[in-house]
């Protein structure tokens, strides 16, 4: 169990913005040695500069697409060789796609799964052998409150975050059964104040300004606060971490109410300004994880640049 991050080798994906940047700066303030990755070179460079100013003992960056398995595997080995080991890995990078199942293209579905699920799986498999060599290695995979219940227009995102949840819980059990000593934490952020909605894409017919206003009104937790909660969970060896009172309430509500919870979700999802010919719902996931390459499908507007 990691009690102190000073001198520890800490890996964070999606570090160019949002929760990833906040994690990097929090770890820097605790004298960590950082390996940071993001597909956004400019955002990554800014995070590295902030981390250096805050006292990070060492910072290395990699412009990386986490959906590229070979690139992730090579980065993991290079990171372990450069630092002499790895103590903490946070698979945080993520993207967002707002579309009903019928209007969603296969390319976009596969793109989201490539980053949000396969990116986590690649990062886990690539770094796990190195974490096992640490006396108290720890793996953190970021799911979402959307990994706890289904939401209209977020089928792809929910599928990925449910998959991250199940995958990570299985990895945790495997580590315990094997006696490896590697801690494994699943994180479910609720509404986090980041720019993910402003910088992300929405399907034609969704009122983006209204969605941004809604996101801002319900997002009560700052990215920095989220990072502190996550790192506190690591120090305490928590199996699951819920970020924000809303995440805790959703977890409890969905488990206690069961199918009764679904009508509540539909009620909240019915909002003016949505495309009446398509399923309505919150336009983007609430947590705002890492940054992402732009979508290529027709019917979407602004590029996704991250949380």
């Amino acid at each position: 169990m990691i009690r102190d991050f000073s001198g520890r080798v800490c890996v964070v994906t999606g570090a160019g913005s949002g929760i990833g940047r906040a994690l990097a700066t929090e770890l820097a303030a605790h004298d960590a040695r950082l390996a940071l990755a993001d597909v956004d070179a400019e955002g990554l460079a800014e995070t590295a500069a902030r981390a250096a100013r805050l006292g990070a003992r060492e910072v290395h960056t990699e412009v990386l697409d986490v959906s590229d398995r070979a690139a992730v595997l090579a980065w993991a080995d290079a990171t372990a060789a450069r630092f002499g080991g790895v103590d903490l890995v946070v698979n945080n990078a993520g993207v967002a796609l707002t579309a009903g199942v019928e209007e969603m293209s296969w390319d976009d579905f596969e793109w989201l799964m490539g980053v949000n699920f396969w990116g986590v799986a690649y990062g886990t498999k690539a770094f796990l052998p190195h974490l096992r060599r640490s006396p108290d290695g720890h793996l953190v995979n970021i799911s979402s409150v959307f990994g706890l219940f289904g939401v209209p227009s977020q089928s792809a995102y929910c599928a990925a975050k449910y998959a991250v949840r199940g995958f990570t819980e299985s990895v945790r059990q495997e580590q315990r059964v094997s006696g490896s000593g590697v801690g494994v934490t699943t994180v479910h952020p609720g509404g986090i104040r980041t720019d993910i909605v402003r910088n992300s894409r929405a399907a034609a017919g969704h009122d983006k300004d209204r969605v941004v206003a809604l996101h801002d009104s319900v997002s009560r937790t700052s990215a920095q606060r989220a990072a502190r909660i996550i790192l506190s969970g690591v120090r305490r060896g928590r199996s699951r971490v819920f970020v924000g009172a809303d995440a805790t309430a959703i977890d409890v509500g969905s488990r206690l109410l069961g199918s009764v919870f679904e009508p509540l979700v539909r009620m909240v999802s019915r909002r003016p300004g949505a495309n009446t010919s398509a399923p309505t719902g919150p336009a983007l996931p609430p947590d705002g994880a890492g940054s992402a390459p732009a979508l290529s499908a027709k019917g979407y507007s602004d590029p996704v640049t991250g949380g």
Side-chain angles (χ1 to χ4, degrees):
M1 188 182 303
I2 300 178
R3 299 289 190 183
D4 183 0
F5 296 109
S6 179
R8 298 289 191 167
V9 178
C10 302
V11 174
V12 181
T13 66
S17 59
I19 294 175
R21 171 174 286 175
L23 284 165
T25 55
E26 281 295 314
L27 288 165
H30 287 85
D31 192 37
R33 303 166 69 198
L34 301 177
L36 309 177
D38 202 293
V39 73
D40 175 12
E42 185 176 346
L44 184 61
E46 173 59 25
T47 299
R50 293 188 189 187
R53 289 195 298 268
L54 286 167
R57 185 175 298 191
E58 190 175 354
V59 183
H60 286 273
T61 61
E62 182 82 9
V63 177
L64 178 73
D65 177 359
V66 298
S67 69
D68 184 336
R69 180 173 61 192
V72 174
L73 293 173
W75 178 57
D77 289 342
T79 298
R82 176 183 295 114
F83 287 95
V86 177
D87 300 301
L88 172 67
V89 173
V90 184
N91 289 307
N92 164 77
V95 296
L97 167 65
T98 299
V101 172
E102 291 179 285
E103 63 186 355
M104 177 172 58
S105 73
W106 286 112
D107 286 345
D108 284 342
F109 196 174
E110 291 169 358
W111 168 81
L112 182 139
M113 294 299 292
V115 177
N116 289 12
F117 174 66
W118 284 112
V120 171
Y122 296 157
T124 297
K125 281 184 64 63
F127 280 101
L128 200 50
H130 303 299
L131 289 175
R132 288 173 68 95
R133 287 191 280 272
S134 170
D136 44 14
H138 203 103
L139 171 71
V140 177
N141 289 340
I142 308 294
S143 178
S144 169
V145 291
F146 283 13
L148 302 173
F149 69 108
V151 182
S153 80
Q154 290 298 316
S155 54
Y157 191 86
C158 288
K161 294 303 186 177
Y162 267 86
V164 167
R165 173 186 171 187
F167 174 77
T168 307
E169 290 177 356
S170 295
V171 172
R172 179 163 56 249
Q173 296 285 34
E174 290 173 2
Q175 296 310 300
R176 289 178 175 174
V177 168
S178 70
S180 76
V182 174
V184 181
T185 300
T186 312
V187 178
H188 297 277
I192 310 300
R193 292 197 301 272
T194 71
D195 288 333
I196 189 169
V197 175
R198 288 180 176 83
N199 296 330
S200 295
R201 297 184 173 202
H206 289 269
D207 185 341
K208 188 169 181 179
D209 290 339
R210 190 178 184 88
V211 172
V212 168
L214 175 62
H215 177 268
D216 290 347
S217 70
V218 301
S219 298
R220 304 296 185 185
T221 306
S222 69
Q224 214 67 36
R225 172 65 176 159
R228 293 186 187 114
I229 291 171
I230 293 167
L231 295 179
S232 176
V234 171
R235 288 193 193 93
R236 297 178 182 184
R238 301 291 193 194
S239 297
R240 300 177 76 190
V241 172
F242 297 93
V243 181
D246 51 348
T248 301
I250 287 169
D251 174 56
V252 173
S254 60
R255 285 189 290 111
L256 292 182
L257 297 177
S259 61
V260 177
F261 193 73
E262 292 187 8
L264 298 178
V265 174
R266 289 196 295 273
M267 180 178 66
V268 172
S269 298
R270 293 192 181 100
R271 55 177 176 78
N275 184 347
T276 56
S277 65
T280 62
L284 287 169
D287 40 90
S291 53
L295 285 167
S296 59
K298 293 172 63 179
Y300 293 86
S301 51
D302 304 324
V304 176
T305 58

